[in-house]
């Protein structure tokens, strides 16, 4: 309704262009430019939110350990357990620090350091070349701690070795949201 009234004002103003009529045309052009820039900004923000990532560069293997981190879930939506698997596919052994579980919801990210199993600390962990480490993460413990975590959409695990290199798993969809 307001757009129609605005267009009528602009059309009426354009029919009687006087010596200062060009100022109204510049104002109209500036308004169109602002609307176009805002819509383009929203398009790029949505594109970033969908999780597009450039393909990772192949890691160098000479003198380095290569880790492959994967995260799987037990159910399609609202999983109760996540399984983190770390494979050392390099030629060298690796020392792993405590992994970090990320729970994401739009622009909010919560980080939880996973320290061990059944109250026992198992990190830092020495992982030999060609070996696999598996950790089952029970999400009910996190949901008991904070009930608002049930509303988070995505999960990811970051594993850091003692030399400071970070290895990430892919994002896991925990529940449906507006964009998925």
């Amino acid at each position: 309704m307001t757009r129609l009234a605005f267009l009528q004002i602009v059309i009426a103003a354009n029919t009687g262009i006087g010596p200062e009529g060009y100022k109204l045309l510049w104002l109209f052009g500036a308004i169109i430019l602002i609307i176009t820039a805002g819509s383009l900004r929203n398009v790029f923000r949505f594109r970033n939110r969908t999780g597009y990532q450039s393909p990772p560069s192949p890691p160098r293997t000479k003198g380095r350990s290569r880790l492959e981190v994967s995260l799987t879930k037990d159910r399609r939506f609202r999983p109760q357990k996540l399984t983190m698997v770390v494979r050392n596919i390099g030629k060298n052994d690796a020392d792993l620090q405590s992994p970090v579980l990320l729970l994401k919801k739009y622009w909010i990210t919560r980080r939880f350091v996973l320290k061990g199993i059944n109250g026992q600390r198992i990190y830092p962990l020495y992982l030999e070349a060609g070996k696999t480490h598996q950790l089952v993460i029970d999400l009910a413990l996190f949901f008991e701690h904070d009930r608002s975590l049930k509303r988070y959409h995505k999960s990811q695990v970051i594993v850091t070795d003692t030399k400071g290199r970070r290895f990430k798993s892919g994002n896991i969809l925990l529940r449906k949201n507006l964009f998925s």
Side-chain angles (χ1 to χ4, degrees):
M1 182 71 180
T2 58
R3 289 182 187 174
L4 185 60
F6 180 74
L7 287 176
Q8 288 176 352
I9 291 171
V10 171
I11 291 171
N14 284 340
T15 57
I17 295 179
E20 306 226 356
Y22 65 91
K23 290 182 181 178
L24 187 59
L25 293 176
W26 279 107
L27 177 68
F28 184 65
I31 291 172
I32 289 176
L33 184 67
I34 290 171
I35 291 171
T36 308
S39 63
L40 285 175
R41 189 178 124 239
N42 287 339
V43 165
F44 287 119
R45 283 179 63 199
F46 177 74
R47 186 175 293 169
N48 289 341
R49 225 186 265 161
T50 56
Y52 172 76
Q53 297 174 351
S54 61
S57 61
R60 296 182 215 150
T61 58
K62 185 176 180 181
R64 290 189 174 194
S65 58
R66 285 180 49 191
L67 297 178
E68 183 180 279
V69 181
S70 63
L71 188 64
T72 56
K73 53 188 177 177
D74 61 344
R75 296 192 309 189
R76 184 169 179 181
F77 295 114
R78 299 193 187 273
Q80 296 173 350
K81 295 186 184 210
L82 299 177
T83 304
M84 176 190 73
V85 177
V86 180
R87 289 186 190 91
N88 188 352
I89 56 176
K91 296 178 181 177
N92 297 338
D93 301 340
D95 283 326
L96 305 179
Q97 296 289 347
S98 299
V100 177
L101 176 69
L102 301 177
L103 295 175
K104 301 176 184 180
K105 177 175 78 171
Y106 301 115
W107 55 87
I108 301 170
T109 302
R110 296 281 303 268
R111 296 173 180 260
F112 297 96
V113 178
L114 306 173
K115 296 179 182 173
I117 302 169
N118 297 330
Q120 298 178 358
R121 298 187 69 126
I122 62 171
Y123 295 103
L125 180 74
Y126 184 73
L127 191 61
E128 297 174 357
K131 298 286 182 174
T132 302
H133 169 65
Q134 182 174 356
L135 178 68
V136 177
I137 304 165
D138 188 12
L139 291 177
L141 297 173
F142 297 101
F143 297 154
E144 288 173 6
H145 173 70
D146 188 2
R147 301 283 297 169
S148 67
L149 293 176
K150 284 190 171 187
R151 295 189 190 112
Y152 283 65
H153 308 296
K154 294 180 187 175
S155 180
Q156 185 179 29
V157 172
I158 299 176
V159 176
T160 308
D161 65 356
T162 54
K163 296 178 183 176
R165 290 188 303 259
R166 296 172 56 173
F167 302 94
K168 296 181 182 181
S169 70
N171 285 329
I172 295 292
L173 190 64
L174 298 177
R175 62 186 291 271
K176 283 220 172 240
N177 60 4
L178 186 61
F179 300 108
S180 63

